[in-house]
Amino acid sequence: MSTRDVGIGETIVSIPDSLLLTTHTVMDCSALGQHIKAFTDGPRLTPLHTLSVFLMCERLMRSKSAWGPYLDILPSTYSTPPFLPSCHLSLFQPDVQKRMRTLKYAVKCQYERLRPFLLYISPWYGSEVTRFHLFRWAWYTVNTRAVYLPNQCRFRDLSDDVDCCALAPFLDFLNHSAQVRVTAGFNALTRSYDVVTLDPVAARDQVFICYGPHDNLALLLDYGFVLANNPHSSVEFEPSEILDCYEKTIGTSLDSNTKELMHPSDLSCTWDGPTWNLLQFIKKLMITQKKDSQTCEEVMKRILNALMSRRLKLATESKERLHDTASCVAAAMSSVLINEEINILTLHLN
């Protein structure tokens, strides 16, 4: 909350570089850095692994850690998909469930890649440092709270992955809003990471920052929350469901060679309507069938209506099923996603 009126162009947060947690902090200023440099029995750690393991070790040190005051106020758990029980994943629509399970598997893979190093340092930090639940907490502390800090010095003992993340205590407790405008970055003159507001903030109003123009699915997968009335939200379509609607609408089947070539991205409908990629994808299908321009427009409208009607029916059925479930965080987030999808599709159905 702001204690006074804040004007456009004022700095709302400034974190000195001495308080930024970076790979430099780990590699040059901690005992863990020496263990990383000495480790040769497995793949080199990535910058994200390095920050995550540092948090794991410091958390195990508890009161002995210089970072203890920061660690004490961090969340003990998160609401990102890998933290949700399997029974809660079933509350989401099938396409969302698929993305969530893929993410859970990816986190497990990160842990397995890091496990040889965790076993290596266990004589110094105890067997608990090898536990998956501790890694998951640290991994998401970094991934949900890190700020973008490019041009960091490279360490030859780490992997070649881009090193562009830092933890900024205090700054990472500001919430996201899609409506606010800010600029953020490292100020070389003051040697600090600054956030400057591009909108006025009234006294006693909550101070927000913007994580970026993310739709609700991205916010759910990356940060573990969703926003009602998110202006960046959209309904995503798989190429397979578009092809199916196309074939059923025009009454002919596409050959397998044509289908193999159709793998574009951003096939979606936003609050503003179908994306350019979605329209172009359908137009390419028209070309393969040698349709004239007038027929193309007519068929395109029919395909879009069929596509949106199908998804609207599925979303409505999902909403009805959700009414019968117990209240929980996952159910609330799923409800926002479903209602948002229904509203976008209803808005653009002809």
Side-chain angles (χ1 to χ4, degrees):
M1 179 181 292
S2 177
T3 58
R4 63 173 177 83
D5 290 339
V6 179
I8 296 173
E10 284 197 63
T11 300
I12 55 176
V13 179
S14 183
I15 309 296
D17 63 351
S18 60
L19 293 180
L20 296 175
L21 176 48
T22 65
T23 51
H24 164 70
T25 310
V26 181
M27 299 301 291
D28 291 340
C29 307
S30 75
L32 178 63
Q34 301 308 309
H35 294 310
I36 294 173
K37 293 172 184 177
F39 178 66
T40 59
D41 296 331
R44 289 180 296 171
L45 273 64
T46 68
L48 288 179
H49 285 151
T50 302
L51 294 178
S52 299
V53 178
F54 181 79
L55 289 180
M56 295 167 71
C57 295
E58 294 298 304
R59 185 176 180 180
L60 292 175
M61 291 170 62
R62 297 179 175 85
S63 60
K64 296 180 181 179
S65 170
W67 293 87
Y70 175 55
L71 296 172
D72 287 343
I73 57 176
L74 286 173
S76 59
T77 188
Y78 294 96
S79 52
T80 46
F83 286 84
L84 299 178
S86 297
C87 60
H88 285 185
L89 294 189
S90 63
L91 299 174
F92 294 86
Q93 292 176 278
D95 58 322
V96 179
Q97 289 184 42
K98 181 180 178 181
R99 295 280 295 274
M100 296 170 93
R101 290 194 171 92
T102 299
L103 185 59
K104 291 186 78 166
Y105 176 74
V107 174
K108 278 282 189 181
C109 290
Q110 292 291 344
Y111 168 71
E112 291 300 331
R113 175 180 172 178
L114 187 59
R115 199 160 185 274
F117 178 73
L118 298 179
L119 290 170
Y120 170 75
I121 63 172
S122 61
W124 291 278
Y125 296 96
S127 61
E128 195 172 348
V129 79
T130 66
R131 306 303 173 115
F132 172 72
H133 71 86
L134 182 60
F135 164 78
R136 182 181 58 181
W137 168 81
W139 182 255
Y140 272 96
T141 296
V142 174
N143 279 273
T144 63
R145 311 180 83 81
V147 297
Y148 179 66
L149 188 67
N151 304 319
Q152 298 187 51
C153 60
R154 285 187 173 274
F155 292 92
R156 64 181 183 181
D157 301 293
L158 299 181
S159 73
D160 293 330
D161 293 50
V162 176
D163 190 352
C164 59
C165 290
L167 287 170
F170 179 73
L171 185 156
D172 58 6
F173 287 93
L174 294 176
N175 289 325
H176 165 76
S177 171
Q179 279 72 38
V180 304
R181 298 177 301 153
V182 298
T183 61
F186 189 75
N187 187 327
L189 294 177
T190 60
R191 303 298 301 171
S192 59
Y193 191 93
D194 297 343
V195 179
V196 177
T197 181
L198 302 180
D199 297 310
V201 181
R204 296 189 175 84
D205 278 357
Q206 183 175 351
V207 179
F208 291 95
I209 57 176
C210 182
Y211 299 172
H214 302 305
D215 63 26
N216 269 341
L217 183 56
L219 290 176
L220 170 63
L221 297 175
D222 295 340
Y223 300 101
F225 68 88
V226 294
L227 297 175
N229 303 313
N230 186 342
H232 304 297
S233 285
S234 62
V235 180
E236 295 183 9
F237 300 101
E238 292 291 334
S240 58
E241 61 181 319
I242 301 172
L243 291 170
D244 186 54
C245 281
Y246 173 85
E247 292 178 337
K248 290 181 177 178
T249 300
I250 67 172
T252 60
S253 298
L254 292 167
D255 61 80
S256 57
N257 290 333
T258 301
K259 291 182 179 180
E260 287 295 323
L261 296 173
M262 300 294 183
H263 294 288
S265 59
D266 191 25
L267 301 175
S268 59
C269 181
T270 70
W271 293 108
D272 295 326
T275 61
W276 187 87
N277 277 12
L278 175 57
L279 296 176
Q280 292 303 306
F281 180 70
I282 298 175
K283 283 182 179 179
K284 286 180 181 178
L285 294 177
M286 302 292 108
I287 293 172
T288 63
Q289 298 298 304
K290 298 184 171 71
K291 301 290 185 182
D292 60 62
S293 58
Q294 183 176 358
T295 304
C296 276
E297 291 299 322
E298 294 173 355
V299 176
M300 179 179 290
K301 289 180 181 178
R302 288 165 54 199
I303 293 171
L304 285 171
N305 276 341
L307 187 64
M308 293 184 189
S309 295
R310 175 192 287 187
R311 285 295 290 272
L312 180 60
K313 181 175 182 293
L314 293 173
T316 304
E317 291 172 351
S318 295
K319 182 177 181 178
E320 291 172 353
R321 287 194 298 271
L322 199 59
H323 279 312
D324 300 328
T325 63
S327 177
C328 63
V329 171
M333 291 193 293
S334 180
S335 179
V336 170
L337 289 175
I338 292 170
N339 286 329
E340 179 180 72
E341 184 165 316
I342 290 173
N343 291 336
I344 291 175
L345 293 171
T346 302
L347 180 65
H348 297 291
L349 262 173
N350 295 325

